[in-house]
């Protein structure tokens, strides 16, 4: 019997990867933000926004729950504030995932209107979808990209309904699901029950940020979220045994983000304490994911490497993990079959 080759960075870079939990704006690299800033500065030398390389210096990843969310509302959204910058940054995000060896991505984003520029939420979604479609349709690209629309916990019921309207409208153009995201300290999730039920009835899949912080992990909140019959759950940190069992019984996929949880101190301890160590022994689909690679700077290949290092994963275990994650993708049989075949025929397992 020959020993398996070790899991090194070269292996995890080449590994065909599936990314199921990535926020579009949080995935924009600092260099890309800097390019956008430079262009704007040329157009308007009076632009009153700090250079991204100063505001979010390279190497800074210690954003926690109190500094992370304001980074978007008070800085990145002000920079990505028109359709050209949204288009440019979406293209760059797709290029980054593809060059890291991602072969399938379900990006998620919160529809955003920019009234000062005459941009509606509909324009925003259509612009992002057009970029995704162009990427997927280009036969030189090995990665295919789909979109999940996010409802923010701070949204009103009417705003949430608008997100569902858009998701349904653009379902045939690449929107595959609905997400619940945003600051876990904010909002009452109960008000979104109707929106998620309507999305499900329309054939959209559902993923929810689940028990991300203690404040968003009350029995009432978790029971409410599970009653919507989600297809996947993100983070799944502060979950007691009773809920774990329900997730396993219902075979709900979990999206786990190691570096984000460690850097943002969402878990106690470090990588080896991450609850990936528990979920990997369950039967549910487990998708290692980046969450916000632009902020936490750990691409998906690095997440697989970290998981392998801290949990002693062998190549065959990584293979099983990837193949299991395919079971929880939000697109249909075509992509499912493409990915299964890709893993079956990949020549890198033993090289
Ligand atoms: P966007 O939806 O493409 O604009 O991506 C950024 C948004 O995603 C942020 O404003 C947050 O609302 C949301 N987001 C990013 N990371 C997280 C997370 O870890 N938990 C909850 N929401 C998040
Ligand atoms: Zn997230």
């Amino acid at each position: 019997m020959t020993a398996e080759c070790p899991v090194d960075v070269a292996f995890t870079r080449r590994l065909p990867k599936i990314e199921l939990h990535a926020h579009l704006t949080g995935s924009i690299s600092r260099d890309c933000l800097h390019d956008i800033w430079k262009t704007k500065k040329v157009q308007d030398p009076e632009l009153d926004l700090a250079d991204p390389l100063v505001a979010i210096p390279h190497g800074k990843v210690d954003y926690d729950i109190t500094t992370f969310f304001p980074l978007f509302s008070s800085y990145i959204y002000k920079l990505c504030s028109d359709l050209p910058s949204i288009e440019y940054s979406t293209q760059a995000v797709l290029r980054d995932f593809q060059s890291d060896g991602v072969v399938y991505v379900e990006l998620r984003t919160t529809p955003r209107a920019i009234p000062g520029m005459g941009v509606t939420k509909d324009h925003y979604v259509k612009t992002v979808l057009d970029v995704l479609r162009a990427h997927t349709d280009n036969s030189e690209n090995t990665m295919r990209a789909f979109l999940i629309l996010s409802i923010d916990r701070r949204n009103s019921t009417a705003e949430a309904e608008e997100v569902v309207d858009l998701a349904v409208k653009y379902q045939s153009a690449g929107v595959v699901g609905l997400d619940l995201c945003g600051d876990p300290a904010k909002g009452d999730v109960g008000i979104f029950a109707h929106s998620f039920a309507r999305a499900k009835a329309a054939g959209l899949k559902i993923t929810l940020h689940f028990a991300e912080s203690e404040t968003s992990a009350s029995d009432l909140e978790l029971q409410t979220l599970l009653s919507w019959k989600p297809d996947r759950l993100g983070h799944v940190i502060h979950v007691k045994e009773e809920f774990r069992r329900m997730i396993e019984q219902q075979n709900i996929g979990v999206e786990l983000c190691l570096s984000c949880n460690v850097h943002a101190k969402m878990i106690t301890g470090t990588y080896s304490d991450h609850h990936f160590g528990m979920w990997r022994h369950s039967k549910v689909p487990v998708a290692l994911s980046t969450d916000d690679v632009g902020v936490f700077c750990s691409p998906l290949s690095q997440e697989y490497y970290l998981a392998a290092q801290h949990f002693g994963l062998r190549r065959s275990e990584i293979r099983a993990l990837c193949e299991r994650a395919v079971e929880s993708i939000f697109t249909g049989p075509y992509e499912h079959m493409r990915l299964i075949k890709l893993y079956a025929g990949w020549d890198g397992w033993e090289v």
Side-chain angles (χ1 to χ4, degrees):
M1 202 173 89
T2 52
E4 272 189 56
C5 300
V7 174
D8 53 18
V9 176
F11 170 80
T12 62
R13 282 292 302 270
R14 270 200 74 210
L15 176 71
K17 293 171 287 297
I18 298 175
E19 170 65 79
L20 299 183
H21 188 134
H23 298 266
L24 172 58
T25 312
S27 301
I28 307 172
S29 73
R30 282 145 209 218
D31 289 333
C32 176
L33 291 174
H34 179 67
D35 288 347
I36 293 170
W37 179 83
K38 269 194 312 196
T39 306
K40 293 207 156 166
K41 201 74 183 161
V42 169
Q43 289 163 354
D44 173 16
E46 303 299 311
L47 178 74
D48 187 20
L49 264 187
D51 180 341
L53 299 184
V54 174
I56 327 170
H58 276 301
K60 178 171 167 60
V61 289
D62 59 346
Y63 290 93
D64 64 16
I65 219 113
T66 58
T67 53
F68 175 79
F69 292 99
L71 182 65
F72 293 91
S73 47
S74 61
Y75 185 69
I76 303 179
Y77 289 150
K78 288 188 178 156
L79 193 58
C80 297
S81 58
D82 51 31
L83 291 181
S85 60
I86 289 160
E87 200 171 321
Y88 181 83
S89 54
T90 306
Q91 285 165 343
V93 164
L94 294 177
R95 263 198 315 274
D96 289 349
F97 277 116
Q98 161 136 335
S99 64
D100 188 44
V102 175
V103 291
Y104 176 95
V105 63
E106 290 174 8
L107 271 182
R108 59 187 71 189
T109 198
T110 322
R112 184 157 58 92
I114 312 167
M117 304 300 288
V119 175
T120 62
K121 292 184 183 179
D122 194 305
H123 292 140
Y124 176 89
V125 172
K126 189 171 180 324
T127 301
V128 172
L129 276 171
D130 285 346
V131 175
L132 266 53
R133 169 67 66 91
H135 184 96
T136 295
D137 285 351
N138 182 342
S139 59
E140 286 178 14
N141 291 331
T142 44
M143 181 182 82
R144 297 176 64 91
F146 302 91
L147 192 63
I148 293 171
L149 294 186
S150 300
I151 291 174
D152 189 293
R153 294 173 68 102
R154 285 165 302 184
N155 283 165
S156 63
T157 313
E159 287 166 327
E161 289 291 317
E162 197 184 347
V163 177
V164 180
D165 289 342
L166 288 167
V168 172
K169 175 174 175 182
Y170 288 112
Q171 209 170 348
S172 59
V175 175
V176 294
L178 199 66
D179 165 46
L180 177 67
C181 76
D183 189 338
K186 304 275 162 66
D188 167 13
V189 299
I191 69 166
F192 303 126
H194 179 265
S195 304
F196 279 92
R198 195 156 71 85
K200 199 145 186 113
L204 289 156
K205 301 281 188 176
I206 291 176
T207 178
L208 306 168
H209 281 67
F210 190 84
E212 197 179 355
S213 73
E214 287 190 44
T215 49
S216 67
S218 66
D219 285 1
L220 177 62
E221 172 156 340
L222 302 192
Q223 276 155 5
T224 302
L225 296 179
L226 288 177
S227 75
W228 301 347
K229 300 272 172 259
D231 300 281
R232 294 198 310 252
L233 297 171
H235 293 301
V236 200
I237 301 174
H238 302 275
V239 179
K240 59 186 185 189
E241 190 52 37
E242 169 195 345
F243 291 108
R244 262 186 226 163
R245 268 203 308 274
M246 288 165 79
I247 293 167
E248 289 191 297
Q249 277 159 7
Q250 294 169 38
N251 197 33
I252 303 174
V254 296
E255 307 152 354
L256 304 182
C257 310
L258 273 68
S259 292
C260 156
N261 293 172
V262 170
H263 293 315
K265 301 195 169 41
M266 292 154 72
I267 60 162
T268 309
T270 185
Y271 291 95
S272 50
D273 304 302
H274 196 276
H275 45 292
F276 168 77
M278 187 278 294
W279 285 108
R280 81 184 185 93
H281 294 299
S282 73
K283 292 204 163 46
V284 306
V286 175
L288 285 177
S289 298
T290 53
D291 211 5
D292 296 282
V293 61
V295 178
F296 298 110
C297 304
S298 181
L300 193 55
S301 57
Q302 178 72 12
E303 295 296 285
Y304 272 90
Y305 180 67
L306 288 167
Q309 289 301 297
H310 292 280
F311 297 95
L313 300 186
R314 289 175 289 135
R315 289 187 178 200
S316 53
E317 290 169 313
I318 291 187
R319 178 174 185 166
L321 206 58
C322 291
E323 289 176 340
R324 216 160 92 205
V326 176
E327 301 309 316
S328 66
I329 62 172
F330 282 179
T331 50
Y334 181 87
E335 283 303 313
H336 185 274
M337 185 56 74
R338 180 178 77 93
L339 294 168
I340 290 295
K341 278 190 183 160
L342 211 158
Y343 285 124
W346 191 48
D347 63 3
W349 296 119
E350 296 303 333
V351 189

